[in-house]
Amino acid sequence: MIEIKNLTFAYSGGPSIFEGFNLRIDRGEAWSVIGPSGCGKTTFLYLLAGLCQPVSGNILIDNMPVLRPRPRTGLVLQDHGLLPWSTVDENTRLGLNIWEFYGSDGKHAPTDKKIDKTKADQQVDYWLKKLGIHGLKDQYPDRLSRGQRQRTAIARTLVMEPDLLLLDEPFSALDALTREDLERVILGQHHESNLTCILVTHDIEVAVVMGKKILTLRHGFNRKPLILENDCAAMIDNTNQAAFRNKCDELRKVLGTVELNASLNSRTPSSVY
């Protein structure tokens, strides 16, 4: 589904974050992306979402270059991105309203999607109930807890039935029970609809629960992807089992090695690259 070919990216005037980076993500896979703050995790999502463009190289989704945001990609932002003047219900309908406004033009809305008001109402009600916020549908974001705002952001995305779901630190600052509840919702949708999920996190346990494959990024430029295969994904209720703890320890060691190498490389003249 996703092919990243010789990707090089840097913000204007800054050092490269990715350089000659190659990666393939197949349809229906669940990936976690982890690494230290400032290593390019959110940038990686923005590149996939078409919000940033490579300096060189290509990103293809379903063999089509990502030159702008595509209508079948869903992005859940870390700060939720809710409109403060809109209710939970109105925020959840935002994407559907945009689709209806532009029509099935293939740029703002998929060519095979026509908004049916009855179905849209059913979809909105379904996700508000599934995420436990139906009773809050007339509330505004400033009256919601952080977890309720996150649920609203997730509802707004899933109501549009994306084939690719990108999540930027969706569980940060949430209590354990709320986090586990949202993990179940996202993993359930992943399995039910063969949804491709890519989740950015700084939390080792979240990375192991949510990603069948775990991509580790490092400070400095990322050239060769470091991927950890994970057979402990979706073990939400078994995080105390030895297998899960061992996988967390393995990932912790990978992160430590990545940081050590990055530190050593930062002292190496750039000419060696």
Side-chain angles (χ1 to χ4, degrees):
M1 180 185 190
I2 301 173
E3 290 183 274
I4 301 174
K5 299 181 176 181
N6 298 314
L7 169 69
T8 295
F9 179 82
Y11 289 103
S12 179
S16 292
I17 300 173
F18 298 96
E19 189 169 300
F21 188 82
N22 294 279
L23 184 68
R24 177 181 175 86
I25 297 173
D26 291 328
R27 180 174 296 280
E29 289 187 332
W31 285 65
S32 295
V33 182
I34 194 169
S37 297
C39 70
K41 300 188 298 294
T42 296
T43 299
F44 181 71
L45 288 192
Y46 284 3
L47 285 161
L48 294 179
L51 297 174
C52 293
Q53 291 298 315
V55 173
S56 62
N58 295 288
I59 299 174
L60 306 176
I61 298 181
D62 289 338
N63 296 316
M64 297 294 293
V66 179
L67 304 177
R68 52 168 293 140
R70 60 188 287 273
R72 295 303 300 272
T73 296
L75 174 63
V76 178
L77 299 168
Q78 186 174 357
D79 65 357
H80 314 124
L82 302 180
L83 302 179
W85 55 83
S86 297
T87 64
V88 167
D89 183 83
E90 291 165 343
N91 268 293
T92 303
R93 295 175 184 274
L94 178 61
L96 296 174
N97 290 339
I98 291 172
W99 280 8
E100 185 176 23
F101 177 81
Y102 283 102
S104 304
D105 62 357
K107 291 183 178 180
H108 305 88
T111 56
D112 61 344
K113 284 283 184 180
K114 293 185 178 180
I115 299 299
D116 176 271
K117 188 178 185 306
T118 300
K119 183 180 178 181
D121 289 343
Q122 291 172 346
Q123 280 284 92
V124 170
D125 283 346
Y126 171 81
W127 281 111
L128 292 181
K129 289 175 181 176
K130 191 172 182 69
L131 287 160
I133 51 174
H134 192 270
L136 301 170
K137 67 178 184 178
D138 296 322
Q139 297 292 328
Y140 291 87
D142 64 350
R143 302 297 300 272
L144 304 176
S145 69
R146 184 177 178 85
Q148 290 164 344
R149 292 196 296 271
Q150 190 62 283
R151 290 168 189 263
T152 304
I154 292 172
R156 180 183 59 192
T157 302
L158 293 181
V159 79
M160 300 176 73
E161 300 179 327
D163 60 7
L164 171 61
L165 180 61
L166 308 174
L167 304 113
D168 188 10
E169 300 276 11
F171 312 132
S172 60
L174 299 183
D175 63 85
L177 290 177
T178 300
R179 185 193 74 192
E180 290 176 3
D181 190 26
L182 292 179
E183 286 173 344
R184 287 188 176 90
V185 170
I186 293 168
L187 287 171
Q189 187 66 11
H190 160 66
H191 290 298
E192 289 172 16
S193 63
N194 199 35
L195 178 63
T196 307
C197 295
I198 303 173
L199 178 143
V200 158
T201 183
H202 64 273
D203 188 295
I204 288 174
E205 287 196 7
V206 170
V208 174
V209 166
M210 298 300 294
K212 191 72 175 176
K213 295 183 179 180
I214 303 173
L215 173 65
T216 301
L217 299 181
R218 57 164 234 183
H219 280 302
F221 67 82
N222 291 274
R223 176 177 288 168
K224 184 177 180 180
L226 181 56
I227 301 168
L228 180 65
E229 299 287 343
N230 175 29
D231 55 1
C232 294
M235 291 180 64
I236 299 175
D237 298 315
N238 299 290
T239 57
N240 289 322
Q241 288 190 3
F244 186 89
R245 304 314 313 172
N246 290 340
K247 185 58 67 173
C248 288
D249 288 342
E250 183 181 356
L251 179 56
R252 190 172 287 107
K253 290 177 182 177
V254 170
L255 287 167
T257 301
V258 165
E259 281 302 280
L260 176 60
N261 289 340
S263 177
L264 292 174
N265 287 338
S266 69
R267 301 170 195 162
T268 305
S270 58
S271 60
V272 302
Y273 301 118

